[in-house]
Amino acid sequence: MSFFKKLKEKITKQSDSVTEKFKEGLAKTRDNFSNKVNDLVARYRKVDEDFFEELEEILIQADVGFDTVMKLVEELKLEVKKKNIQDPHEVQSVISEKLVEIYQAGGKSSSELNIQSDSLTVILFVGVNGVGKTTTIGKLAHKFKSEGKNVLMAAGDTFRAGAIEQLEVWGERVGVDVIKQGAGSDPAAVMFDAIQAAKSRKADILICDTAGRLQNKVNLMKELEKVKRVIEREVPGAPHEVLLVLDATTGQNAMIQAKTFKEATDVSGIVLTKLDGTAKGGIVLAIRNELDIPVKFIGLGEKMDDLQEFDAEQYVYGLFADLVEKEED
Ligand SMILES: Nc1nc2c(ncn2[C@@H]2O[C@H](COP(=O)(O)OP(=O)(O)OP(=O)(O)O)[C@@H](O)[C@H]2O)c(=O)[nH]1
């Protein structure tokens, strides 16, 4: 059975609304990437070296990342040889299969969050300004709230003017309280207050914002270490997640930010925002592969329910939806 067929069967078993979100949110990447692959397949009569070279170029242009592209194409070549594939059309399904495999390779691929079932879960958000951190915190608070959880937010970005107010706006929108102090106050003190509040209100989840100053890595490290130390001391085993928010539209810049944050703190997962705003959605694969950090959520729009748990199969379906749908039953 072809991979497209298997994918079609799997996707039809999943929620239509999730599938629609992935499909809509990845429309720009699909138009860019899949159309180029379709065009490539139509131009070649057989799968040869030139075919693979052009494919490499298409993947690199979609921000898949050089190392990941090399690995992917190497595996594709082996598979094509093994299955004795001559017709370029047949390669499309194999490409999509390899994309899922590449993402899932290495084990730590689950997008599931480490949520404590019977005690407070603390989630720390890190990332530079403007990447969509506040929006993501708001969306995640909304998600937990609609699952019936008791949620609190901590306004730990005391550095950027307006950050506290912006979080409060989201708090009002989603009906979640924000624990704050004045601008310029010590973020670790805000965390301490927020944890005490979370304990006394028996909150299930505390979501913490932090300032994302990258200009000075030493300061960034010191601040994050201090914030983490307070959290660890007050809630053993916390923070349960440290989520780094990256803007997918910034391409290689996002990769550089990820490397810096990875050196500064233990990042447990990535949230990749604004994937709907880029034609280079291949960055998901580069991040997963080159940083070895799972992508836990992706932002596919500005609305409250546009934050989706990352799923490699839905993602690849979003990239090749037209072809998968055409697949005969
Ligand atoms: N299209 C799209 N826009 C998004 C997404 N996530 C966030 N945005 C928009 O990106 C802009 C910046 O988001 P903010 O949350 O304000 O950015 P910022 O990260 O607050 O800045 P900090 O909190 O300092 O990190 C806003 O206009 C958001 O609506 C997404 O997934 N898709």
Side-chain angles (χ1 to χ4, degrees):
M1 200 199 295
S2 81
F3 183 72
F4 277 162
K5 208 165 206 172
K6 280 188 224 160
L7 195 56
K8 193 177 177 184
E9 278 184 14
K10 271 199 180 164
I11 296 294
T12 35
K13 285 193 198 122
Q14 292 176 17
S15 147
D16 282 351
S17 63
V18 172
T19 303
E20 255 330 284
K21 283 254 180 276
F22 272 82
K23 197 177 154 188
E24 258 177 51
L26 289 164
K28 283 192 182 158
T29 301
R30 184 168 59 251
D31 285 349
N32 175 36
F33 173 67
S34 309
N35 286 353
K36 283 186 190 160
V37 175
N38 289 348
D39 173 61
L40 176 71
V41 160
R43 279 190 291 110
Y44 277 81
R45 283 166 162 264
K46 62 179 191 5
V47 186
D48 58 14
E49 263 313 305
D50 289 347
F51 175 89
F52 282 119
E53 256 180 44
E54 280 203 48
L55 181 64
E56 273 173 19
E57 189 54 35
I58 294 171
L59 288 161
I60 284 170
Q61 280 174 9
D63 264 357
V64 173
F66 186 77
D67 294 350
T68 313
V69 171
M70 292 304 133
K71 190 165 151 187
L72 181 70
V73 172
E74 228 19 74
E75 290 188 16
L76 261 178
K77 284 182 182 170
L78 287 176
E79 195 75 10
V80 162
K81 206 166 169 192
K82 201 170 92 191
K83 293 190 174 154
N84 195 20
I85 295 174
Q86 313 277 342
D87 178 0
H89 285 95
E90 283 179 52
V91 182
Q92 277 166 314
S93 178
V94 185
I95 295 173
S96 64
E97 183 172 16
K98 288 289 159 202
L99 290 177
V100 173
E101 271 179 29
I102 284 244
Y103 185 86
Q104 289 173 341
K108 263 196 325 188
S109 67
S110 170
S111 65
E112 226 167 276
L113 291 180
N114 175 19
I115 302 289
Q116 310 303 295
S117 54
D118 50 5
S119 58
L120 176 66
T121 299
V122 183
I123 301 175
L124 192 64
F125 270 85
V126 299
V128 303
N129 293 333
V131 291
K133 190 151 41 86
T134 314
T135 310
T136 302
I137 292 174
K139 286 174 178 171
L140 193 62
H142 168 70
K143 180 182 176 295
F144 286 133
K145 182 114 196 282
S146 49
E147 290 168 1
K149 295 203 163 74
N150 183 359
V151 189
L152 264 186
M153 300 196 280
D157 183 355
T158 58
F159 183 74
R160 179 169 72 87
I164 300 170
E165 289 76 13
Q166 207 186 333
L167 198 64
E168 283 187 305
V169 169
W170 268 102
E172 272 171 35
R173 200 178 289 163
V174 301
V176 166
D177 284 344
V178 176
I179 306 300
K180 59 163 188 176
Q181 289 185 9
S185 56
D186 182 352
V190 178
M191 294 306 159
F192 182 82
D193 278 2
I195 289 170
Q196 304 318 312
K199 283 181 179 169
S200 70
R201 298 184 197 187
K202 299 204 172 3
D204 301 307
I205 313 245
L206 172 66
I207 309 179
C208 309
D209 193 8
T210 61
R213 280 169 287 165
L214 259 197
Q215 292 82 345
N216 184 332
K217 201 162 83 183
V218 177
N219 277 352
L220 173 77
M221 270 192 216
K222 275 193 189 148
E223 184 165 313
L224 289 177
E225 261 168 31
K226 193 171 167 198
V227 162
K228 273 180 84 177
R229 220 178 310 128
V230 170
I231 296 175
E232 276 160 12
R233 196 183 62 213
E234 298 303 313
V235 184
H240 303 92
E241 292 282 352
V242 179
L243 299 181
L244 169 64
V245 185
L246 299 172
D247 178 341
T249 64
T250 62
Q252 285 310 303
N253 229 334
M255 293 295 288
I256 295 166
Q257 285 168 21
K259 282 180 187 147
T260 310
F261 273 94
K262 198 180 165 186
E263 283 163 21
T265 189
D266 290 326
V267 176
S268 62
I270 303 261
V271 181
L272 199 57
T273 62
K274 310 184 199 177
L275 211 54
D276 55 311
T278 177
K280 298 182 164 202
I283 190 160
V284 171
L285 296 159
I287 285 177
R288 170 73 188 91
N289 219 351
E290 284 161 40
L291 299 168
D292 197 26
I293 306 174
V295 177
K296 299 225 169 180
F297 287 96
I298 51 176
L300 294 171
E302 294 191 71
K303 291 197 296 293
M304 255 191 239
D305 59 352
D306 284 339
L307 186 71
Q308 292 290 329
E309 262 168 53
F310 183 73
D311 177 306
E313 282 164 346
Q314 289 281 8
Y315 167 75
V316 169
Y317 170 78
L319 296 185
F320 289 97
D322 310 332
L323 290 174
V324 177
E325 278 162 21
K326 262 198 254 158
E327 189 75 17
E328 300 288 326
D329 287 323

